[in-house]
Amino acid sequence: MTRFIRSLQEVLADFDVAVLDQWGVLHDGTTPYPCAVEAIGMLADHGKQMIVVSNSGKRAELNRARMQRIGLPMNYVGEVATSGEALWDDIRRGRLTVHGSVPKTWFPICATFQDAIDWSAGCDTIELRDTLDDSIDAILLMGLSEEAREDDYDDVFDKAIANGIPVVCSNPDKSSPRAGGLIISPGHLADRFCERGGEVIWYGKPYVAIYNAVQRAYPDVQPHRFLMVGDSLEHDIGGAQNIGFASALVRSGVHRNDFGEANEDHELQRVLDRLSARSGVDPPTFCLECFA
């Protein structure tokens, strides 16, 4: 059974490292959530280490700078790990292969082409192209504009499938919270590409590689002493369970509409059980309204 709490302060004895999701836990893209700044300070005051783990297609330092810029006290956060950084590092080290070789030419799908340029910086083996033709080794699906629709890239996907070009998705999230509600994220389009018969290579939560990066940052901490704090059952909670981390779900993120007017523990548990059955993920260790 999940334990319902108001604050992580109630369970400080249960973990040493807080693994914090970014979107939906710390901020909505422009503004920190009301209790997030205080929660980071509280964890620091109690000697807890913190690492931000994000399904962001961008590099880690860009994410750190953005969080600092919008008012999060990143001086208390030891590390930032992103799926975009993990992908970049695998390409740089030759660990990612497509059809037997390391992909070199990429067609990026992102909010702006500059995002892809910033992501590729420092890796001479990455060549970005703005035209999809038979010289492309892989499509990089790293980000979308907030106005993107699910069918915007169907023509690109059809051409990629016809030419056997895979999609490498560095943000598996299906949707992301914003101040005005939820918007579609790259993972939604990657699923659409799969449904049309395409091949997708995934980076980020819930896949184990990004959690391995977390453990490498804290090699002396046992898996059960990590606490993943996230807003997505499928990605954050499922990923934590895959690696043996404890988990805490915040209800104010992507699942906020699912919880509706539920307030009592038995009502919240009923919603959690339904969501868990739908996503194929066990209920989290803890559950709270927001990161506090």
Side-chain angles (χ1 to χ4, degrees):
M1 292 287 289
T2 297
R3 179 178 170 185
F4 295 94
I5 58 177
R6 294 182 180 274
S7 168
L8 294 182
Q9 193 161 7
E10 299 174 38
V11 295
L12 290 172
D14 291 274
F15 66 95
D16 298 315
V17 179
V19 185
L20 307 174
D21 179 38
Q22 185 182 174
W23 301 82
V25 171
L26 297 178
H27 64 83
D28 64 8
T30 56
T31 306
Y33 288 123
C35 297
V37 173
E38 291 80 1
I40 289 174
M42 180 273 292
L43 291 176
D45 288 344
H46 286 85
K48 300 302 178 182
Q49 299 184 84
M50 285 168 273
I51 178 170
V52 174
V53 178
S54 175
N55 277 357
S56 168
K58 296 181 180 180
R59 301 281 294 281
E61 283 307 311
L62 286 174
N63 278 270
R64 176 182 282 278
R66 178 179 192 166
M67 288 184 280
Q68 183 74 45
R69 190 166 57 249
I70 66 174
L72 287 162
M74 297 303 293
N75 53 305
Y76 292 133
V77 176
E79 301 274 350
V80 175
T82 69
S83 46
E85 185 81 24
L87 171 60
W88 177 87
D89 194 52
D90 274 3
I91 296 169
R92 182 173 66 93
R93 297 178 184 276
R95 290 190 293 242
L96 173 67
T97 60
V98 171
H99 304 314
S101 60
V102 177
K104 184 176 182 180
T105 54
W106 296 78
F107 176 82
I109 295 176
C110 44
T112 70
F113 198 80
Q114 185 62 46
D115 288 342
I117 293 173
D118 292 341
W119 166 79
S120 67
C123 184
D124 295 337
T125 62
I126 297 174
E127 293 182 12
L128 301 174
R129 306 281 175 82
D130 59 5
T131 302
L132 183 68
D133 55 34
D134 58 10
S135 71
I136 298 297
D137 294 324
I139 293 174
L140 170 65
L141 178 49
M142 66 173 289
L144 301 171
S145 72
E146 296 196 2
E147 296 76 31
R149 300 175 304 177
E150 68 171 12
D151 59 352
D152 283 350
Y153 295 94
D154 282 357
D155 289 345
V156 170
F157 288 166
D158 287 343
K159 190 171 183 179
I161 292 166
N163 288 279
I165 300 171
V167 160
V168 179
C169 181
S170 58
N171 182 346
D173 287 349
K174 308 296 192 299
S175 61
S176 296
R178 292 295 187 275
L182 299 177
I183 61 170
I184 65 169
S185 289
H188 183 86
L189 291 194
D191 278 348
R192 189 176 178 87
F193 184 68
C194 283
E195 291 167 0
R196 299 169 80 87
E199 175 192 357
V200 176
I201 299 169
W202 299 91
Y203 271 78
K205 300 171 290 182
Y207 304 98
V208 170
I210 198 164
Y211 290 95
N212 288 338
V214 173
Q215 290 185 295
R216 285 194 296 269
Y218 303 97
D220 297 329
V221 179
Q222 294 299 308
H224 70 280
R225 298 297 298 175
F226 289 91
L227 177 67
M228 177 75 230
V229 184
D231 71 319
S232 166
L233 269 170
E234 179 181 358
H235 296 121
D236 301 316
I237 308 308
Q241 292 170 1
N242 287 341
I243 202 70
F245 292 2
S247 60
L249 179 75
V250 300
R251 302 191 297 273
S252 53
V254 296
H255 294 303
R256 59 190 173 194
N257 293 332
D258 295 297
F259 284 95
E261 300 300 317
N263 289 303
E264 299 296 328
D265 287 1
H266 69 277
E267 297 172 333
L268 296 170
Q269 187 69 59
R270 195 157 49 236
V271 175
L272 269 181
D273 290 343
R274 183 174 70 248
L275 292 173
S276 296
R278 188 172 74 194
S279 60
V281 172
D282 291 336
T285 316
F286 308 110
C287 185
L288 62 170
E289 173 60 27
C290 61
F291 174 47

